[in-house]
Amino acid sequence: MSTFDEASTHNPLSNRAVHILGSITAIAWIIQTIASYWLAPAGLAYGGVVSGQQLYADMTGIEAIDWLAKSRYWLPLFFLPLVVSSICTMALLFQIMRRPPSQSTVRAVFSWTFVFGVICLPAIPVLAQDFWLSAAWGKMIATGLNPYHQDIPHDIAARWYADLNPTRMTYGPLWAIISGLVMTVSNHPWVVFSLFKAVIAGSWAGALIIVRKMTESLPFRDQCTAIAIVGWMPLVLYFSVSEGHNDIVMAVFALFAFYIRNPIALAASVCIKYVSGPLGLIFLLAREPFNARLLIGYLFSSLLVIACFVLFYRGIEFFDAARAMTWEFLTPSSAVAIAGRPAQWAATAVFPIIAIYQGVKWVKERKEPRRRVFALALLSAGMFAILPHVWPWYLVLLLVFAAVAPSAPLSRWLTGLALGAPFAVAMAARGWSFDSVMHIPDTALYLFALTWLAFTGWIMTSHYNAPRYTISPEAPPSIQS
């Protein structure tokens, strides 16, 4: 509980406003979930993906509708619920910043997240069919094939691969093990769908609970913001629970590792997807006394990584599929491409510089708020300075860490980026060229994120009358004047 009664200040945020926004958002998600059963096969028909259409026809009995497959119909029907939920999230964040919430408001914001999760759970993937990639690769593993070194056989691709041009596995070996176990259980698409959804939705709920636990000593305003980022924001909720991307599984392991300072959980995260790896630097820089517990932690984390890789690694070709994804999209470099190479290098260098700065500050101060911001900066540097492209669902990892430091400038910038990111893929969703037009939405998106950062900074300066807070793992929060 916050040590300062923010609700005592003038004009507090009412629960009624939260419930109105929650109700509108819930209706939007109901529409999106129902519509997904028609939008998914129509989107696949537009792309000429026969196997995906057949998969959904076998599951639901719904076949692609010709008029819906047209770009002018499909796009607005798909994006309208996302627009509504994004506007409601923005309105909630705006109200949280302007009007101090109470503890009951925090509970109201938190309660709505599970309503949204239940509504989104039955949705089938529409924008990207990566969900079924795991099923195809898992089926290979269940039949004794190695998805990192062998192509997907035609019979498995025809049954489970809801996309064009089957590729070898790009995810980490722990996700390969999970996928193989799921596909060993059943061959029925609804059972497979339910099991993968249970893993992914459970991870989202776990991340939400950890965020709630890690922010319960912060002001009510920050608690509400943190919950909204993970539980209301379409980028996290939709791409995790509805579309079924496994980034949330990696993210919950990484956040749990950071929360309890456990290298085994971090090793599990890296073995799901590799981009959480930079977080290991925090463990290396931590000034913990060397003891048996620490030794056992590093030993078991090493054994976990070795055990996962030894099952599938047969040579450097293991990483070929991941290295082949070299197109540029949604990166700082792409956003300023129109300005030339020097601007691209400068935009990319911003994030390692921020990480170094935050790392130096944390090493000097050793305070928990600094550790959280340093973790976010490290992961941001890894994503924006190293990856050639950043699909919106990649940002899930960053957002769960932004949620535990919600007032930090980097967190607020990422929140702005995440609010607009789902709409930046509209062109890609309809098959338009990356080279010809993809820099346009990137530039607009990054400008929007900077605008959101400036706007929230102005709101905080204008409306935050409560004292600032500090937190530490050893002591309750203190108030600084």
Side-chain angles (χ1 to χ4, degrees):
M1 180 183 297
S2 172
T3 58
F4 181 80
D5 185 10
E6 294 176 286
S8 65
T9 59
H10 181 64
N11 194 23
L13 176 61
S14 69
N15 289 2
R16 182 172 178 270
V18 174
H19 292 316
I20 290 172
L21 292 172
S23 299
I24 296 171
T25 303
I27 292 170
W29 288 129
I30 290 171
I31 293 171
Q32 199 287 324
T33 295
I34 295 172
S36 70
Y37 285 80
W38 283 266
L39 289 168
L44 292 167
Y46 180 87
V49 184
V50 176
S51 61
Q53 295 177 68
Q54 188 59 50
L55 173 61
Y56 287 126
D58 292 342
M59 280 183 64
T60 67
I62 299 173
E63 298 184 354
I65 301 173
D66 289 340
W67 66 264
L68 187 55
K70 307 299 183 184
S71 180
R72 63 181 178 273
Y73 299 119
W74 190 92
L75 277 175
L77 286 173
F78 172 73
F79 281 110
L80 182 58
L82 292 179
V83 169
V84 172
S85 59
S86 294
I87 291 173
C88 288
T89 303
M90 290 174 66
L92 177 66
L93 291 171
F94 178 66
Q95 290 299 320
I96 290 169
M97 286 184 286
R98 286 185 67 249
R99 303 167 64 186
S102 65
Q103 189 174 30
S104 65
T105 309
V106 177
R107 288 195 294 266
V109 173
F110 187 68
S111 297
W112 273 109
T113 62
F114 289 97
V115 175
F116 303 152
V118 170
I119 293 170
C120 292
L121 189 59
I124 60 177
V126 176
L127 190 62
Q129 298 298 324
D130 294 3
F131 180 90
W132 296 107
L133 269 172
S134 298
W137 290 328
K139 189 61 181 175
M140 289 181 66
I141 295 166
T143 56
L145 301 176
N146 189 329
Y148 295 96
H149 295 278
Q150 296 171 266
D151 295 330
I152 301 176
H154 176 74
D155 59 328
I156 294 178
R159 179 75 173 89
W160 293 108
Y161 193 86
D163 210 335
L164 295 171
N165 304 318
T167 182
R168 295 182 181 181
M169 192 159 192
T170 56
Y171 303 141
L174 183 54
W175 186 252
I177 294 170
I178 294 171
S179 301
L181 290 173
V182 168
M183 298 308 293
T184 301
V185 172
S186 176
N187 235 1
H188 195 285
W190 277 115
V191 175
V192 171
F193 176 83
S194 300
L195 290 174
F196 275 120
K197 278 289 188 115
V199 172
I200 290 167
S203 298
W204 170 78
L208 190 59
I209 292 169
I210 295 171
V211 166
R212 182 78 183 91
K213 182 67 175 176
M214 291 183 70
T215 58
E216 65 183 1
S217 296
L218 297 179
F220 296 141
R221 181 179 275 122
D222 284 350
Q223 292 181 44
C224 285
T225 301
I227 295 165
I229 289 173
V230 179
W232 285 60
M233 189 170 291
L235 188 140
V236 180
L237 177 64
Y238 175 76
F239 286 114
S240 297
V241 183
S242 294
E243 290 271 311
H245 290 282
N246 65 353
D247 298 76
I248 189 63
V249 184
M250 164 193 59
V252 73
F253 274 114
L255 188 63
F256 185 64
F258 180 81
Y259 177 45
I260 66 170
R261 294 172 166 83
N262 188 306
I264 302 174
L266 179 60
S269 175
V270 174
C271 287
I272 296 288
K273 292 185 83 171
Y274 312 120
V275 291
S276 59
L279 204 60
L281 186 58
I282 287 185
F283 286 85
L284 295 177
L285 293 176
R287 294 187 304 189
E288 292 189 30
F290 192 80
N291 52 43
R293 176 180 171 275
L294 190 65
L295 178 62
I296 292 171
Y298 282 115
L299 175 62
F300 275 92
S301 60
S302 301
L303 290 175
L304 176 61
V305 173
I306 292 170
C308 287
F309 274 87
V310 78
L311 291 174
F312 303 102
Y313 188 84
R314 301 294 181 270
I316 196 61
E317 300 84 8
F318 180 95
F319 297 104
D320 281 355
R323 290 199 306 246
M325 298 189 297
T326 57
W327 60 87
E328 191 173 56
F329 173 57
L330 218 64
T331 62
S333 175
S334 177
V336 299
I338 192 172
R341 282 293 177 189
Q344 290 180 290
W345 294 332
T348 301
V350 166
F351 295 92
I353 290 171
I354 292 174
I356 293 170
Y357 171 77
Q358 293 296 342
V360 170
K361 296 288 286 184
W362 173 61
V363 168
K364 289 170 114 178
E365 298 178 11
R366 296 291 175 176
K367 293 181 179 179
E368 177 62 14
R370 286 290 180 192
R371 190 175 79 102
R372 297 184 183 192
V373 177
F374 178 41
L376 179 61
L378 265 179
L379 294 171
S380 299
M383 189 163 294
F384 293 118
I386 296 176
L387 295 186
H389 61 272
V390 180
W391 288 114
W393 45 91
Y394 289 10
L395 298 176
V396 167
L397 173 65
L398 303 185
L399 288 172
V400 298
F401 279 86
V404 298
S407 295
L410 183 56
S411 299
R412 291 186 285 113
W413 178 83
L414 282 165
T415 300
L417 193 74
L419 284 168
F423 310 105
V425 296
M427 295 180 179
R430 307 319 284 163
W432 293 336
S433 168
F434 282 88
D435 296 330
S436 60
V437 296
M438 289 314 287
H439 296 319
I440 297 173
D442 293 357
T443 303
L445 177 62
Y446 276 74
L447 287 174
F448 175 79
L450 290 172
T451 303
W452 180 262
L453 173 62
F455 172 72
T456 54
W458 173 74
I459 290 290
M460 291 171 66
T461 302
S462 303
H463 293 84
Y464 279 27
N465 298 317
R468 291 189 297 112
Y469 288 72
T470 60
I471 57 174
S472 72
E474 298 83 17
S478 61
I479 300 178
Q480 292 182 346
S481 57

